[in-house]
Amino acid sequence: IKKCIDQLKAEAPQKHIQNLNNLINSSILEKKDEEKLRDIIKALSQNSHEEILLDLSKLEEEQFNRYLKEIVEAQKVYVSLKHNNSSDLNLLRKLKNKVAVTQTDEMNELYNKISDELVNRDQIIQQIELSNNQISLLNDNLEMLSNEVDELKRIVFEQTKENDSFVLAKKYQEICQEYYENEIERTLKLISEKCTKLIRNTYRKENYITRLEISKDFNVNIFKNKEKKNISQLSAGEKQLLVAAIMSTIIKTSPRNIFVIFDTPAGRLDGEHMVRFYKNIMIDTASQIIIMPTSNEINEEVINSIYSCVSDCYTINYNEEGYSRIHKNRIFDKEWIK
């Protein structure tokens, strides 16, 4: 490979001469440029062979150079391996000498120990094979017994099918009843918790009602801390807020999507409770709500609190002749601008 590379280097001038001759023969140069090239060719011809022996391409020349580089690297690796191998041989010789001087009794003891272990292993393997055979036999017996049991179960089921159907139906009924009662208890507890929070946010008096409970028989009990309060002690407006809060919580807890109509909803409420009712309870009760208040049940503060939630507004006027007239986009005597 080195000789080939040397030959390629020697051929380089001749290749250049060929390329220059091809350039002259192409007739694209001026005469003075041709004369200069001929002088260059003459100078190159003095140090070149008369003919090209290998005539390799550039890619082939690069491949030769790569081969040479790989051989040089391999040679370095070989020298390193040879050095390491010599060190390993020296280490093996030392170990061999140590083994040679080891006492014979220790070697015999180790040999006997290994022999005993091999014998024990063979015995254990035989025991495992025997146990596997016994397990296989027991599995066969178990399968046969299982088939007999399944057949007996089938016979018993055929004989008692009618009674079993009644028992299963009874159990199913009991399970459904238990689930029904549990769901009622869970739902009432959820409604009680949500309604308590709603009532506490709506009542003007702070901590007036701290807990509301709805029992399984649907009786409503209210507490102030641990003290049970009598609902009859509430004012008319407070009772109206309590009922509205319970109804609103039931509707929001239900998975049904229904619309709600409030007819004269705030007749017994004062100004502050009226605003709290519209803001906390009414506008959040359902996805669609229809309010039918009288002029005394809505004021400017209420309008401002629910303005962004209202889609359409109508005023119905009843005249003395017994006819009603509907005015769209009016809230009693004021225009409703949306």
Side-chain angles (χ1 to χ4, degrees):
I1 291 177
K2 285 184 177 180
K3 288 181 180 180
C4 289
I5 292 175
D6 292 339
Q7 176 64 26
L8 291 172
K9 290 180 179 179
E11 292 176 4
Q14 189 65 25
K15 282 190 173 183
H16 293 315
I17 292 171
Q18 285 184 356
N19 293 333
L20 294 174
N21 284 328
N22 293 334
L23 186 59
I24 293 172
N25 295 331
S26 64
S27 300
I28 62 175
L29 299 175
E30 295 181 2
K31 189 172 181 180
K32 60 180 182 178
D33 294 330
E34 290 182 2
E35 291 177 356
K36 290 180 181 180
L37 286 180
R38 292 185 193 279
D39 292 338
I40 294 172
I41 291 171
K42 184 177 179 180
L44 291 173
S45 299
Q46 294 176 358
N47 298 320
S48 64
H49 296 283
E50 294 181 358
E51 58 181 356
I52 296 176
L53 298 178
L54 296 179
D55 193 18
L56 299 180
S57 66
K58 186 67 175 177
L59 182 62
E60 291 170 332
E61 289 181 17
E62 291 176 355
Q63 193 169 5
F64 265 105
N65 289 321
R66 188 167 61 253
Y67 286 160
L68 180 60
K69 184 178 179 181
E70 290 175 356
I71 289 172
V72 172
E73 293 295 330
Q75 187 178 16
K76 293 179 181 178
V77 174
Y78 171 77
V79 172
S80 175
L81 290 175
K82 182 179 178 183
H83 175 72
N84 294 336
N85 196 25
S86 298
S87 301
D88 293 340
L89 288 174
N90 292 331
L91 179 61
L92 287 173
R93 290 192 190 98
K94 292 179 181 179
L95 293 174
K96 185 176 180 181
N97 293 332
K98 288 183 180 180
V99 172
V101 297
T102 304
Q103 294 181 3
T104 306
D105 292 341
E106 294 180 358
M107 296 295 293
N108 289 334
E109 183 181 354
L110 181 60
Y111 173 78
N112 292 332
K113 186 176 180 180
I114 293 174
S115 299
D116 293 340
E117 292 294 335
L118 291 174
V119 172
N120 291 334
R121 189 198 65 175
D122 293 337
Q123 291 176 353
I124 292 173
I125 291 175
Q126 291 177 359
Q127 292 177 359
I128 291 175
E129 291 179 352
L130 180 61
S131 298
N132 287 334
N133 293 332
Q134 292 176 350
I135 290 173
S136 178
L137 180 61
L138 291 173
N139 284 332
D140 293 339
N141 293 334
L142 178 61
E143 184 178 0
M144 182 175 66
L145 291 173
S146 297
N147 293 333
E148 292 178 359
V149 170
D150 291 339
E151 180 63 20
L152 290 173
K153 285 182 178 180
R154 187 190 65 80
I155 294 172
V156 171
F157 176 75
E158 291 294 334
Q159 292 176 351
T160 60
K161 183 165 59 176
E162 292 183 0
N163 292 333
D164 286 346
S165 299
F166 175 77
V167 172
L168 289 174
K170 191 69 176 175
K171 288 183 178 179
Y172 177 74
Q173 184 181 18
E174 292 174 357
I175 291 173
C176 289
Q177 182 64 28
E178 183 179 357
Y179 174 78
Y180 171 75
E181 292 176 358
N182 289 337
E183 277 298 294
I184 288 180
E185 184 177 358
R186 183 190 67 82
T187 305
L188 289 176
K189 183 178 179 181
L190 180 62
I191 292 173
S192 298
E193 292 174 354
K194 290 184 177 181
C195 189
T196 298
K197 185 177 180 181
L198 184 58
I199 280 293
R200 295 182 66 176
N201 291 336
T202 304
Y203 272 19
R204 178 172 57 239
K205 300 175 183 178
E206 187 176 356
N207 294 329
Y208 185 61
I209 295 178
T210 57
R211 190 171 84 255
L212 179 143
E213 289 183 358
I214 303 176
S215 62
K216 289 184 179 181
D217 54 1
F218 303 105
N219 286 324
V220 178
N221 297 311
I222 57 175
F223 298 85
K224 180 178 182 181
N225 298 325
K226 294 183 179 181
E227 178 187 357
K228 183 177 180 181
K229 295 177 66 67
N230 194 332
I231 294 180
S232 62
Q233 296 175 351
L234 302 178
S235 66
E238 291 169 344
K239 291 178 182 178
Q240 186 173 356
L241 285 178
L242 178 64
V243 173
I246 295 174
M247 292 180 60
S248 175
T249 307
I250 292 174
I251 293 171
K252 287 188 288 186
T253 306
S254 171
R256 297 180 181 180
N257 186 16
I258 62 175
F259 71 91
V260 179
I261 300 176
F262 287 96
D263 187 7
T264 57
R268 300 177 179 180
L269 302 179
D270 56 25
E272 183 177 352
H273 275 149
M274 185 187 302
V275 175
R276 289 171 177 262
F277 164 75
Y278 279 101
K279 186 176 181 180
N280 295 346
I281 298 178
M282 191 208 66
I283 63 174
D284 196 33
T285 296
S287 59
Q288 185 177 16
I289 301 170
I290 297 175
I291 314 169
M292 301 177 67
T294 63
S295 58
N296 296 326
E297 295 176 290
I298 195 164
N299 56 30
E300 194 72 27
E301 189 176 357
V302 169
I303 293 174
N304 293 333
S305 65
I306 66 173
Y307 179 80
S308 60
C309 303
V310 177
S311 175
D312 292 306
C313 181
Y314 301 88
T315 296
I316 302 175
N317 289 330
Y318 184 78
N319 57 29
E320 296 178 354
E321 288 78 16
Y323 295 99
S324 297
R325 185 177 179 183
I326 300 174
H327 304 275
K328 187 176 180 180
N329 295 329
R330 291 194 64 82
I331 179 73
F332 298 108
D333 58 342
K334 295 182 180 179
E335 185 179 1
W336 179 272
I337 301 174
K338 188 65 176 176

